[in-house]
Every structure is written in structure tokens, then in C-alpha cells.
Amino acid sequence: MFLKMKRLFSILFAAVLLNSCSEYQKVLKNEDVKAKYDLAEKFYDEGDYKRANRLLEQIAPKYIGKPQGERVMFFLANSYFENRDYNMAGYQFERFLKSYPKSDKAVEAGFLGAKSYYKLSPKYSLDQTDTDKALMKLQNFINTYPDAEYMAEANIMAKELTTKKERKAFEIAKQYNTIGEFDYSFLTPAVTAFDNFISDNPGSVYREDALYYKFMASTSLAMNSFDYLKKQRLTDAKSVYTVLKKYYPESGYLKDANKTLEKIDKELQNYSK
């Protein structure tokens, strides 16, 4: 009995699905704008954003300047978002806001538009142009709608993107340092890169790491310098250690840093005689 009921349900479901597909294809191909609007709304409400999107794309130009235009444009933008077409979603949400700046959906559109660009941000090792754009859109949303219900999520996304950019800059500086182990000419740009990173990102989660690697790069640079440059560079390296220990007295890097400091002090004794 159960198997018969299950089979009957499957047949009924298939029939409903076939009828739905048939209705969709029929409406998609005809010129009845109202029929397309009604079916698009039905699909949208059911969460079938793919089919809703195709219908909305067809009718959106027809509703420009009409009362339903605001609803259609928001549905179109959001259907792109739900279909993970974030390029088009971002673009369409911006169009919506330009066309309907006072809409009840303006805040949501502003947030989803910014979130669309956030979704386009690549991993830290790749070019961060899209990350810069996403940060600009998120900051614009935060400034425009400071009391929005989406503010907490917007701030989390902005922080994540900022950290991603910081990691990109930190890894570039770290790469200079790694190459500097084999080619001393890269140690000066390594120190400069870490110095710039620390100055530009005072609150970064990578600040402790950057200070440690700057200290190590500064020490290597000093140890491999000409004699007339060595004393000053050793002193500079020691200054970086002082900053590291001051701000991160419990740092896991201090064990290695202390050993390096002993080498610096031993080398500096040659200049006190």
C-alpha cells in the first residue's frame, strides 16, 4: 500500500512539474506582459529565482515609470542575488536605488548591493581590486544607513575584507623577507614593507607578526651590512625589538627574538671598545 501511495505521489508530482514547465515555456514565449508578471511573482514567492529572473528580465523595461516598476526592479535585482550572479545583482541594486531612492526597500537594496560586491571579493592572494570596491560600497552603506538593522553584518563583512587586504600586504612584505634570506638586496625593501604595513594598519591582527618579522629582517640587514652601516642598523633592529616586547610582552615570538637580541648585543660590544 505504501509503495502504491509513494508511486502515485511521484506521478502526481511529475504531472504538476510538467504542467508548471509547460506553463512557464508558454508564458515565456508569448507577449502577455501581465501573464509574465503574475507568473514571475509566483515563482519568486516560491523561491524559484531562476525562472522568476528570466521572466523579470523580459518585463522590467515594460514597467519603467509604472507603479509596479519599483517592485519589479527589486525582484529582478534580488533574483540575481539569489542566483549568485553577484555582478548583475550589484549593478541592478544600484539601478534600483537611483530610480527609487525613497523606497521602503532602499535600505535592504543598499545592503544587498554592498553584499553582492562583498561576495565578489577573491581570496587574499589574488588581485584585490574587487575587495577595494566592496569595501567602498560597504562603507557607503554604513555611512548612509547608520541605524539599519543590517549594520552588524555590514561591519563584520567590512572587517573581514579589511583583514584580507591586511593579509595581502603582510604576505607581500613577508615574501621580501623570505627572498632576503638568499638575496640580501631584498632585506631593505622587506624592512620598508613591514614598516609601511605597521604604520598603515595600526590595529591589524597581523601587527605582532609584522613587528617580529621586521625585527628579524632588520637584524639580518644589519648583520650583513658594511661596517660603517652596521652599528646604526643593529641599533635600529634593537629598537624594533623594544617595540615588540612593549606591546606584546606575552608574544610567542619573544623566545626566538630574545636569542636574536643576544646576538645583536654581542655584536654591538665590538663598537663599545
Side-chain angles (χ1 to χ4, degrees), residues 186-245:
F186 279 85
L187 289 172
T188 298
V191 173
T192 301
F194 283 124
D195 197 38
N196 290 339
F197 177 86
I198 293 163
S199 298
D200 295 340
N201 306 282
S204 173
V205 295
Y206 298 106
R207 186 171 184 268
E208 178 185 349
D209 307 82
L211 279 168
Y212 169 72
Y213 282 104
K214 180 187 175 184
F215 170 58
M216 299 304 286
S218 297
T219 302
S220 294
L221 178 63
M223 293 295 190
N224 292 283
S225 294
F226 292 112
D227 192 60
Y228 73 95
L229 294 171
K230 200 168 190 177
K231 182 181 178 182
Q232 184 59 54
R233 287 181 172 177
L234 286 168
T235 303
D236 291 342
K238 195 169 180 177
S239 297
V240 180
Y241 170 87
T242 302
V243 175
L244 173 65
K245 189 172 182 179

Side-chain angles (χ1 to χ4, degrees), residues 141-185:
F141 172 79
I142 291 168
N143 293 340
T144 305
Y145 307 106
D147 300 319
E149 61 179 298
Y150 308 103
M151 191 55 58
E153 188 177 353
N155 280 317
I156 289 171
M157 289 190 294
K159 177 62 177 175
E160 181 185 328
L161 296 181
T162 299
T163 301
K164 185 187 293 187
K165 287 197 64 185
E166 289 171 357
R167 185 175 181 185
K168 173 83 171 181
F170 171 70
E171 292 293 343
I172 289 172
K174 194 175 174 182
Q175 190 172 33
Y176 280 125
N177 190 45
T178 300
I179 299 172
E181 294 176 8
F182 308 97
D183 184 344
Y184 298 142
S185 66

Side-chain angles (χ1 to χ4, degrees), residues 20 23-24 26-28 30-48 51-60 62-63 68 71-72 75:
S20 174
E23 179 188 13
Y24 168 66
K26 181 180 177 181
V27 173
L28 191 67
N30 69 34
E31 299 300 322
D32 190 336
V33 176
K34 179 63 166 60
K36 291 179 190 239
Y37 175 91
D38 291 340
L39 190 58
E41 188 171 43
K42 175 177 177 292
F43 285 142
Y44 185 91
D45 290 340
E46 292 173 352
D48 188 346
R51 289 197 286 184
N53 178 264
R54 286 199 65 190
L55 291 165
L56 290 164
E57 283 181 325
Q58 290 187 350
I59 65 174
K62 308 289 185 181
Y63 281 96
Q68 303 95 325
R71 187 177 178 84
V72 169
F75 281 1

